[in-house]
Amino acid sequence: MALRYIFLFAIFACPSIYSIPPADTMTGVFDERIKSLRIHALDDDFGLPVTVLGTGSQILVEFDHLAEEREYFRYSLTHCNAFWQPSGLVESEFLDGFNEGTIEDFEYSQATTVHYVHYTLAIPNQDIYPKVSGNYLLKIYPEHEPDSIFLQCRFMVSEQTALVQAEVTTNTDYGLNNRYQQLAITVDTERADVDDKFNDLLVVIGQNGRLDSEQLLRQPLRLQGSKLVYEHQPNLIFDAGNEYRRMEIINDQYPTMGVDHIELHPPYYHYVLYTDTPRNNEIYNYDQTQHGRYFIRQYNSQNSDTEADYGVAHFTLDYQGAPGDMVFLDGDFTQRRFDPNSRMVYNPSTGLYERSMLLKQGAYNYQYLVVPQGGKRGYTAQIEGDKYQTENEYFIRVYHRRPGERYDRLIGVAAIQSRP
């Protein structure tokens, strides 16, 4: 069973040796008129996009379409394996109902300079109800153009039959109170019906919603009856990073947090942010952040979903990077992608890295990641610094494929906060 996971990981980690590359299943927006995509637990703006099988819990997808009139958007689901590739299950195997629905919940913007339609979709619903656990990809497209995907997003359905517990320490295998944090994880499978506990589970750990730094564990250090203990393994050690930076663009009349000044160049207000500088050589300063999330807010509105306006936020960074290194903005508002939309561009005339984005009024968390030339992972060390005291959020997922089954069950999830 362990060989299966090793083989699958080899496929998705090294796609160049196969004729068909992995499908792009990352959360993303593929039409410039789609803005402010957010995926979270229903009734919890900062809740993780996870539902529990059979409980009626839901996730909520929200986004804006910059348009004057409603677009008839439809949606469908794809079941994915533990590595977020299509699992191959047919629709009747993972869904109750038809695998297509129309987004009926929408509202028009009110008294904004930029007109948009705000859409919301809750899943499961009366049309689509996942009946097996695992990873799911939601795709949204215009009614008459099913092959034109405007946006897609990930969410998960968990069985919660495995109890996942963890703790975070700064006493790591790389040193005490240094630039790292280390996890110790216990998975209790008493209720999960796992035959080969040592080989049949795959544990995935993510930090602050980032995908580039996720770690995989295939085998525990030891077994204690029904409990699997994961300790003292390299994949349990994470760069500590730093608290996310914060800025607010909640008022177009006067500057708020992180904003130097505001300019009006019709049709947009432009929020010129203070120039950021590296923090890697600064001492740690605690700041309560939301680990890269953002929150839509207009300072005097009754309903910010439809009354918050759009403006252009101008990010600048004073940083002397190594030749070939790329700098990216990281946060939920960039969908955690390293792409042209999130890449900071060096301007030789100002000596600064720059990026301008059309953003909805709200409070934003962000940080700068450096991706070395030819790399796919971002690092905090060069700009943000790695401070062992940082409060990070770790998201742990446990997958299990039973003998004879064709998909990876998600049997347990847990989110924990580090408290060094």
Side-chain angles (χ1 to χ4, degrees):
M1 299 296 285
L3 291 176
R4 178 185 68 248
Y5 280 130
I6 293 173
F7 175 71
L8 287 172
F9 179 70
I11 291 177
F12 301 125
C14 309
S16 60
I17 63 175
Y18 293 88
S19 58
I20 301 177
D24 179 2
T25 63
M26 287 181 62
T27 294
V29 171
F30 311 116
D31 188 284
E32 63 182 8
R33 296 166 295 174
I34 301 296
K35 302 292 182 183
S36 304
L37 172 61
R38 300 176 67 235
I39 313 100
H40 54 86
L42 186 68
D43 299 326
D44 183 357
D45 285 334
F46 300 122
L48 294 167
V50 180
T51 70
V52 179
L53 193 67
T55 65
S57 59
Q58 295 175 294
I59 59 104
L60 190 68
V61 178
E62 303 181 80
F63 65 93
D64 294 338
H65 184 216
L66 304 189
E68 299 286 342
E69 299 295 335
R70 175 204 180 180
E71 177 77 55
Y72 283 86
F73 284 114
R74 297 184 72 79
Y75 62 94
S76 62
L77 299 183
T78 301
H79 189 272
C80 296
N81 62 23
F83 300 95
W84 289 101
Q85 293 298 291
S87 64
L89 296 182
V90 298
E91 295 170 358
S92 61
E93 291 180 288
F94 65 86
L95 284 179
D96 280 333
F98 296 101
N99 191 13
E100 191 173 47
T102 301
I103 300 179
E104 302 286 358
D105 192 352
F106 65 94
E107 296 179 277
Y108 292 99
S109 59
Q110 303 292 322
T112 57
T113 59
V114 177
H115 295 175
Y116 60 87
V117 184
H118 179 71
Y119 295 84
T120 59
L121 172 66
I123 292 179
N125 56 49
Q126 62 182 3
D127 297 319
I128 290 182
Y129 196 99
K131 64 181 183 180
V132 301
S133 66
N135 295 336
Y136 283 82
L137 183 69
L138 169 72
K139 296 181 179 181
I140 296 177
Y141 44 87
E143 183 177 38
H144 300 298
E145 300 178 72
D147 295 326
S148 180
I149 307 301
F150 273 32
L151 68 151
Q152 65 185 28
C153 53
R154 294 176 171 184
F155 71 95
M156 288 147 280
V157 177
S158 177
E159 298 176 11
Q160 291 302 87
T161 53
L163 176 62
V164 182
Q165 296 179 308
E167 61 179 20
V168 183
T169 179
T170 59
N171 184 6
T172 75
D173 294 342
Y174 294 166
L176 173 63
N177 291 346
N178 202 333
R179 55 185 294 259
Y180 305 103
Q181 294 178 354
Q182 183 165 326
L183 282 76
I185 300 172
T186 301
V187 179
D188 190 340
T189 60
E190 183 177 3
R191 298 173 47 242
D193 190 22
V194 178
D195 291 330
D196 187 349
K197 297 178 178 62
F198 199 81
N199 294 309
D200 284 2
L201 298 185
L202 178 69
V203 178
V204 181
I205 312 166
Q207 182 194 62
N208 298 330
R210 289 175 55 185
L211 303 179
D212 60 301
S213 62
E214 283 189 337
Q215 298 289 343
L216 308 179
L217 299 169
R218 294 176 184 80
Q219 292 179 323
L221 179 68
R222 64 181 185 275
L223 301 177
Q224 295 178 344
S226 63
K227 296 181 179 179
L228 297 83
V229 179
Y230 298 84
E231 291 179 331
H232 301 292
Q233 300 182 39
N235 287 5
L236 289 168
I237 302 175
F238 286 78
D239 294 340
N242 205 341
E243 306 294 351
Y244 275 74
R245 301 173 191 253
R246 293 193 292 160
M247 69 88 170
E248 293 184 352
I249 49 172
I250 62 175
N251 191 322
D252 55 27
Q253 299 303 307
Y254 59 85
T256 49
M257 180 186 296
V259 180
D260 180 63
H261 64 278
I262 302 171
E263 302 174 3
L264 175 60
H265 301 288
Y268 303 121
Y269 283 94
H270 291 250
Y271 300 88
V272 181
L273 309 181
Y274 288 108
T275 296
D276 288 317
T277 57
R279 301 184 292 169
N280 56 323
N281 291 322
E282 298 178 1
I283 63 171
Y284 169 78
N285 285 307
Y286 171 76
D287 188 17
Q288 186 174 7
T289 70
Q290 293 296 335
H291 312 293
R293 297 177 176 89
Y294 68 96
F295 181 70
I296 299 303
R297 178 177 171 231
Q298 203 277 345
Y299 81 105
N300 66 349
S301 69
Q302 299 297 315
N303 180 6
S304 292
D305 287 339
T306 56
E307 296 175 24
D309 213 335
Y310 277 86
V312 180
H314 297 270
F315 296 85
T316 54
L317 172 67
D318 188 356
Y319 169 66
Q320 302 300 315
D325 282 357
M326 296 180 290
V327 180
F328 291 90
L329 277 166
D330 171 62
D332 279 359
F333 69 107
T334 68
Q335 287 86 53
R336 309 289 183 157
R337 286 175 172 259
F338 297 152
D339 61 14
N341 181 60
S342 63
R343 183 177 178 181
M344 301 290 291
V345 177
Y346 183 73
N347 184 344
S349 65
T350 64
L352 302 174
Y353 282 85
E354 301 174 350
R355 169 56 55 196
S356 297
M357 292 184 179
L358 186 65
L359 297 177
K360 197 173 186 178
Q361 288 178 309
Y364 289 78
N365 276 195
Y366 67 99
Q367 67 177 353
Y368 296 101
L369 296 178
V370 173
V371 177
Q373 186 173 17
K376 295 183 179 180
R377 178 181 172 180
Y379 293 89
T380 47
Q382 296 93 320
I383 299 176
E384 305 297 353
D386 290 310
K387 317 295 183 182
Y388 69 88
Q389 305 97 322
T390 303
E391 291 197 358
N392 290 304
E393 180 180 77
Y394 292 94
F395 182 41
I396 304 165
R397 313 192 302 271
V398 181
Y399 297 93
H400 173 224
R401 181 173 294 200
R402 292 175 178 170
E405 289 190 331
R406 298 168 42 240
Y407 72 99
D408 297 317
R409 295 173 176 266
L410 181 58
I411 61 173
V413 302
I416 63 168
Q417 307 284 333
S418 62
R419 295 286 188 268

